[in-house]
């Protein structure tokens, strides 16, 4: 009986000393221990040795032409934005806009994983405006729990509908003249399609990450990720083209106070029309004949 109790005390002692060891390993970031949730980690504090990731996203081959959208279902849309075209491929001089580039995974120079850290949610809200019966911007990156302000600048009713897989569905009607709506997504998810239940052509994409290392390419196809801790990362460029979007992946190393480059290319090959495809039947037919 005494032996049992002694063992219990020994076990408790071991647990307590392990706990104190763990907290002392955390160094000065003792306040991080308040993050008891399974998915949260230590708060990242900038060390001054962060670097940048920059790049350009190109479109190879002849750019798909933007198609005019038939908005006749809602005359308010037609009169406000008579020349509305789709934004599936925003290509200009071979450069691709509206591509979401982010750090998907990686290891910091100190050996920790990027996913082990938590980052401060920006106090400022991101904005989606429904203006001319399309979304501005077409692609948006936010952090988890960052407020998204949704405005209706049109003389008609919109119905904004976030259709995530990891976050709850969110579907709100927003009549002409109604004030802005606010929405937040608590879980990281790339990519959340947003649509309008009133106007089937309206679509946009919202990406949610736990860290601030993301950007959307501008008209010149360029992007910059700032304040990236030194380390080795997987950078992904996501574009909506393809059945579920298309991802391009690149491994990079960000040196301390340095810069890494990650250029991506979408286009003919990314769309599943590589020159090798028409050759497949020619190879397979003789083999079939042998059976
Ligand atoms: Cu709408």
């Amino acid at each position: 009986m005494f032996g049992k109790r002694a063992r219990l005390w020994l076990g408790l002692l071991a647990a307590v000393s392990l706990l104190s060891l763990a907290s002392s390993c955390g160094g000065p970031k003792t306040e991080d221990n308040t993050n008891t949730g399974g998915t949260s980690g230590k708060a990242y504090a900038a060390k001054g040795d962060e670097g940048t990731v920059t790049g350009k996203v190109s479109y190879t081959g002849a750019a798909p032409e933007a198609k005019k959208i038939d908005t006749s279902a809602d005359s308010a849309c037609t009169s406000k934005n008579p020349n509305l075209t789709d934004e599936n491929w925003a290509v200009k001089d071979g450069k691709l806009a509206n591509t979401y580039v982010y750090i998907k995974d990686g290891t910091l120079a100190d050996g920790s994983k990027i996913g082990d850290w938590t980052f401060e949610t920006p106090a400022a809200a991101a904005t989606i405006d429904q203006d001319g019966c399309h979304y501005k911007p077409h692609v948006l990156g936010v952090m988890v729990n960052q407020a998204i302000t949704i405005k209706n600048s049109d003389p008609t009713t919109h119905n904004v509908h976030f259709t995530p897989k990891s976050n709850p569905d969110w579907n709100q009607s927003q009549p002409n003249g109604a004030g802005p709506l606010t929405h937040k997504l608590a879980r990281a998810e790339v990519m959340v399609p947003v649509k309008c239940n009133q106007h089937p052509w309206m679509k946009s994409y919202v990406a949610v990450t736990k860290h601030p290392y993301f950007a959307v390419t501008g008209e010149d196809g360029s992007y910059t990720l700032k304040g990236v801790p030194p380390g080795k990362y997987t950078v992904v460029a996501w574009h909506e083209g393809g059945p579920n979007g298309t991802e391009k992946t690149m491994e990079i190393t960000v040196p301390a106070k340095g810069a890494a480059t990650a250029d991506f290319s979408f286009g003919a090959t990314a769309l599943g029309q590589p020159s090798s495809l028409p050759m497949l039947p020619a190879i397979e037919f003789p083999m079939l004949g042998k059976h």
Side-chain angles (χ1 to χ4, degrees):
M1 220 172 128
F2 279 113
K4 241 183 197 175
R5 188 170 287 181
R7 272 204 296 276
L8 188 72
W9 277 111
L10 264 173
L12 272 171
L13 204 70
V16 166
S17 48
L18 268 173
L19 271 173
S20 60
L21 195 72
S23 61
S24 65
C25 282
K29 298 190 201 79
T30 44
E31 63 184 278
D32 302 331
N33 295 332
T34 54
N35 288 327
T36 50
T39 52
S40 52
K42 293 182 286 181
Y44 183 79
K47 294 175 181 67
D49 63 352
E50 286 78 10
T52 57
V53 182
T54 57
K56 287 228 175 207
V57 178
S58 311
Y59 186 94
T60 54
E65 222 169 284
K67 292 183 187 75
K68 193 173 186 310
I69 291 169
D70 177 9
T71 57
S72 57
D74 189 336
S75 59
C77 294
T78 315
S79 53
K80 180 163 176 179
N81 200 352
N83 299 312
L84 186 60
T85 54
D86 75 58
E87 291 162 292
N88 301 353
W89 292 99
V91 183
K92 191 180 174 188
D93 301 329
K95 298 291 181 266
L96 184 58
N98 289 341
T99 308
Y100 177 78
V101 185
Y102 74 114
I103 288 179
K104 188 170 190 175
D105 205 355
T107 308
L108 277 64
D110 66 5
S112 61
K113 296 280 179 192
I114 191 81
D116 293 341
W117 297 92
T118 60
F119 297 84
E120 207 174 321
T121 302
T127 301
I128 298 176
D129 195 6
Q130 298 158 111
D131 187 5
C133 296
H134 77 139
Y135 293 109
K136 295 178 182 175
H138 183 64
V139 178
L140 174 70
V142 293
M143 281 180 64
V144 287
N145 292 319
Q146 183 178 359
I148 305 168
T149 301
I150 300 142
K151 298 197 286 185
N152 180 1
S153 301
D154 286 329
T156 189
T157 295
H158 289 295
N159 188 300
V160 60
H161 189 177
F162 283 67
T163 58
K165 286 191 173 75
S166 305
N167 289 280
D169 192 89
W170 191 78
N171 182 4
Q172 292 283 315
S173 181
Q174 194 172 24
N176 172 22
L181 299 165
T182 301
H183 187 45
K184 291 176 183 180
L185 296 111
R187 288 169 177 270
E189 185 169 353
V190 178
M191 189 54 109
V192 178
V194 177
K195 61 181 185 177
C196 175
N197 291 355
Q198 298 288 329
H199 308 109
W201 63 84
M202 288 179 70
K203 59 177 179 173
S204 66
Y205 299 89
V206 175
V208 191
T209 50
K210 284 168 66 184
H211 62 64
Y213 310 120
F214 58 82
V216 177
T217 57
E219 266 197 5
D220 64 351
S222 72
Y223 75 90
T224 302
L225 312 180
K226 287 178 190 160
V228 182
K232 289 179 189 294
Y233 301 103
T234 303
V235 177
V236 167
W238 183 97
H239 189 273
E240 69 197 81
N244 293 302
T246 305
E247 275 191 358
K248 303 276 176 177
T249 300
M250 199 174 292
E251 305 298 327
I252 55 146
T253 299
V254 177
K257 292 187 179 177
T261 305
D263 294 330
F264 296 92
S265 178
F266 290 79
T269 46
L271 288 168
Q273 301 148 350
S275 56
S276 62
L277 257 188
M279 288 168 68
L280 282 174
I283 297 163
E284 282 182 359
F285 280 139
M287 287 169 73
L288 281 170
K290 278 177 192 163
H291 282 285

